[in-house]
Structure formats: structure tokens, C-alpha cells
Amino acid sequence: MQSSNHRLRDMEQHHPLLSAGADVEAGSLGAGVMVGGPHAGHTAGNRTLWFIQDSCGMVCATMTWFLVLYAEFVVNFVMLLPAKNFWYSLLNGATFNSLAVLALASHMRTMLTDPGAVPKGNATKEYMESLQLKPGEVIYKCPKCCSIKPERAHHCSICKRCIRKMDHHCPWVNNCVGEKNQRFFVLFTMYIALISAHALGLSGMHFFTCIKVQWNECSDFSPGVSVLLLIFLCLEAILFLTFTAVMFGTQIHSICNDETEIERLKNEKPTWERHMRWDGMKAVFGGPPSLLWCNPFTGLRLRRLLLLSHGRRGGSEFSV
């Protein structure tokens, strides 16, 4: 006899309304989900921009941007522009600023991408009858958001939604990390770790250079101000490098083992077909290994963003 989870998976295969296509039919019942295909939003009028209005998350996300921009200011105006070696400034400036742009773009994609939310309130009597379930088939209903809960979905108390393959809720990106935005979160941690390591290296070179000459010749700022700015940058870089490097490693480990952090903490035994190692990486990043895996702009549609920019507020997210 099959377990409940096996029956749920079989049911999802026979009833596509419980998979990604369910967002189209039940989208009007779940504000805050980006629903439908490329034309559904124009016909149904329920395309939305995902953004969680959580005070703590918005403060943490703003702090993330401030700290990255602070690092850019110190690296560019305290260390690189006053440097006498033109090629040293050019190469390091291009590298650091490019990585910073990629880090911030990854942060935005993580924050503004629907992590895989299940349509809210779709567990209605009419919807259940439309599934035409057979005797013995089992589905699960979330009592908190009144939605049909697919396999491997968990409820987030901050997003107030059930999230497919929810790994955790990260306040630094003001969003859950789930099925649809995990790749951007991995890129965010990778690029932050890289710019942190780069900033530490540049700070060490700057200190070493300034010790051999007069501090006034090393920077346009006074020696005291320069030292304070560099010390704060080094502390920030060490903390960010440690945190993001560990997080990047745990995310890669979770992807390669096809196990979310929640599933690992709850010690849930897999009842699904696991995608191990490269198969797991391909499932998250899409397609065979390529440089596109490192591109946070992949799949970004300018026209969609322009349409969503004219949205209105609704529920716990901005909606259009």
C-alpha cells in the first residue's frame, strides 16, 4: 500500500492543477503570486510583483544594500582612485564593481521573485470537486493559509504562504528561499563572498603601501578618516565573507543532496525521486553547466518589469 506522500505525488501528476499550472486558475484567490504564462497576466489581470512587506526584512535588505554601497565607496574613492598605478586601479575597479553589480542584481532577483508560493485559499469545496479525486487519494490542506499543500511545501509564518521546497526564510533578502528563487540566492551569497574577499585583499595592499609612504599621498582623505573607513570595511568584509561562504556551502550541499534545510532539520525521510549532485544542480540552475548559471539576469524581461512597475498594493505584497 502506498504512503500518503506517494499518493499525493501521483495525484499531482494526474491533476496538473496542483502543479505550476494551478497558479493560473487559483491565482485570483492568492494575492501576491506571479501567476500564469506570458499572456495570462494580460488576459486575467492578476499578474503580480512579489514583495513581502515585513518590517524586519525590509530593514535588513536596506542594510545589505547600504553595506555593499559603502564598500564600493571605500574601495573606489579611498583606495583605487588615489592610486598612482593606472592599470592597478582600472583592473581592480572593473572587477570589484562588476562583482558588486552582480551581487546586488542577485539580491534583487531573490527578493522580488516568487519563491514558489502555493495559491492562497484554493482549498474550496468547488475546487476540491473539480479535482475528481479517486477513492483513497490523499491531499493535504494547510490550516493557516487554507491552501492545498503539495509535497515538500512548508508554511512560512512571515510570508503567510505555503512555499514549494522551502529552504528557509532569509531576512537579508526579505523573502523565502524556495523552488523558484534558490539559484539567485546561491548567486547572491557567492558574489558577496567574492567582493568581501576582494575588499580584504585590496585593504591589505593599501595598508602595506601607505606604511611605506606618507598617508597623505595614499588617499584624498585625512589619515584618521582613511584608517577608520578601512577598519570598518575590513570588519564588514570578514563578517560577510564568513557568513556568505558558509551559507553558499550549505546551499550547494543541500542542492546536491536534494534536501532543503527544513527537511534536514526535521529529519524528513525522502518519499520523492531525489536529484543527486549534478542532476540537482541542473534542476535548480536550469540546463547543463554554462556561464549562464552565474548570470542573475537570466530570464529577466524588461517589458514585464515595466508593466509591473505600475502596480498597486494589495495584501502582504505589491500586486498588479
Side-chain angles (χ1 to χ4, degrees):
M1 182 176 180
Q2 288 181 307
S3 66
S4 298
N5 285 328
H6 278 84
R7 291 197 296 271
L8 174 59
R9 186 170 66 249
D10 292 341
M11 181 201 65
E12 287 181 309
Q13 292 172 353
H14 287 93
H15 299 281
L17 292 176
L18 292 184
S19 60
D23 295 352
V24 179
E25 180 156 332
S28 60
L29 296 172
V33 184
M34 189 173 292
V35 295
H39 305 293
H42 303 289
T43 57
N46 54 11
R47 184 180 296 280
T48 62
L49 174 64
W50 181 271
F51 182 79
I52 301 300
Q53 296 183 25
D54 174 60
S55 300
C56 176
M58 288 188 287
V59 169
C60 290
T62 303
M63 285 180 57
T64 301
W65 274 70
F66 171 78
L67 291 172
V68 172
L69 294 176
Y70 169 80
E72 287 223 68
F73 170 78
V74 176
V75 168
N76 289 316
F77 293 98
V78 178
M79 291 188 281
L80 295 182
L81 289 179
K84 296 179 180 180
N85 190 324
F86 171 77
W87 291 109
Y88 173 83
S89 300
L90 179 64
L91 293 176
N92 281 288
T95 301
F96 186 86
N97 288 296
S98 297
L99 292 175
V101 169
L102 290 171
L104 294 176
S106 301
H107 183 272
M108 288 294 291
R109 293 300 301 275
T110 308
M111 181 170 62
L112 300 179
T113 299
D114 171 12
V118 179
K120 186 187 295 184
N122 67 347
T124 61
K125 182 179 179 181
E126 295 77 11
Y127 184 60
M128 300 282 285
E129 291 175 351
S130 68
L131 297 178
Q132 299 178 352
L133 300 175
K134 298 178 181 179
E137 287 184 305
V138 177
I139 59 175
Y140 294 94
K141 174 184 175 182
C142 176
K144 297 178 181 178
C145 59
C146 193
S147 63
I148 295 177
K149 194 172 185 179
E151 188 177 31
R152 303 189 70 182
H154 293 85
H155 186 85
C156 175
S157 58
I158 299 176
C159 296
K160 297 180 175 58
R161 306 292 288 274
C162 283
I163 308 296
R164 299 174 186 270
K165 289 184 66 176
M166 176 181 169
D167 188 84
H168 68 286
H169 184 96
C170 179
W172 296 104
V173 297
N174 189 32
N175 201 1
C176 275
V177 177
E179 183 178 64
K180 295 182 180 179
N181 68 345
Q182 187 175 25
R183 63 167 296 185
F184 301 121
F185 181 76
V186 173
L187 293 179
F188 168 67
T189 57
M190 181 182 73
Y191 287 126
I192 289 294
L194 288 176
I195 64 173
S196 298
H198 194 186
L200 279 175
L202 290 175
S203 299
M205 287 289 295
H206 192 74
F207 273 116
F208 180 75
T209 302
C210 292
I211 288 175
K212 298 198 299 186
V213 298
Q214 293 294 328
W215 273 93
N216 292 331
E217 299 178 11
C218 287
S219 175
D220 296 333
F221 295 87
S222 64
V225 173
S226 297
V227 171
L228 287 176
L229 291 173
L230 288 171
I231 289 176
F232 187 79
L233 175 64
C234 289
L235 292 175
E236 173 194 343
I238 291 172
L239 291 175
F240 269 50
L241 176 60
T242 303
F243 174 75
T244 55
V246 171
M247 185 60 70
F248 175 78
T250 57
Q251 285 294 301
I252 296 297
H253 180 269
S254 297
I255 293 172
C256 290
N257 288 279
D258 195 13
E259 182 182 47
T260 66
E261 187 65 18
I262 291 180
E263 291 165 351
R264 186 186 67 82
L265 292 175
K266 290 186 175 181
N267 198 23
E268 295 182 2
K269 301 197 175 180
T271 58
W272 57 89
E273 183 180 354
R274 301 180 76 169
H275 299 282
M276 304 297 287
R277 297 181 177 84
W278 280 112
D279 290 335
M281 295 290 287
K282 292 177 184 177
V284 172
F285 287 90
S290 69
L291 290 177
L292 292 177
W293 281 16
C294 301
N295 182 11
F297 301 102
T298 301
L300 187 64
R301 297 180 181 178
L302 181 59
R303 183 184 177 190
R304 174 181 295 183
L305 290 178
L306 292 175
L307 289 172
L308 296 179
S309 64
H310 300 289
R312 63 178 183 276
R313 295 195 178 190
S316 59
E317 305 88 14
F318 290 124
S319 60
V320 173

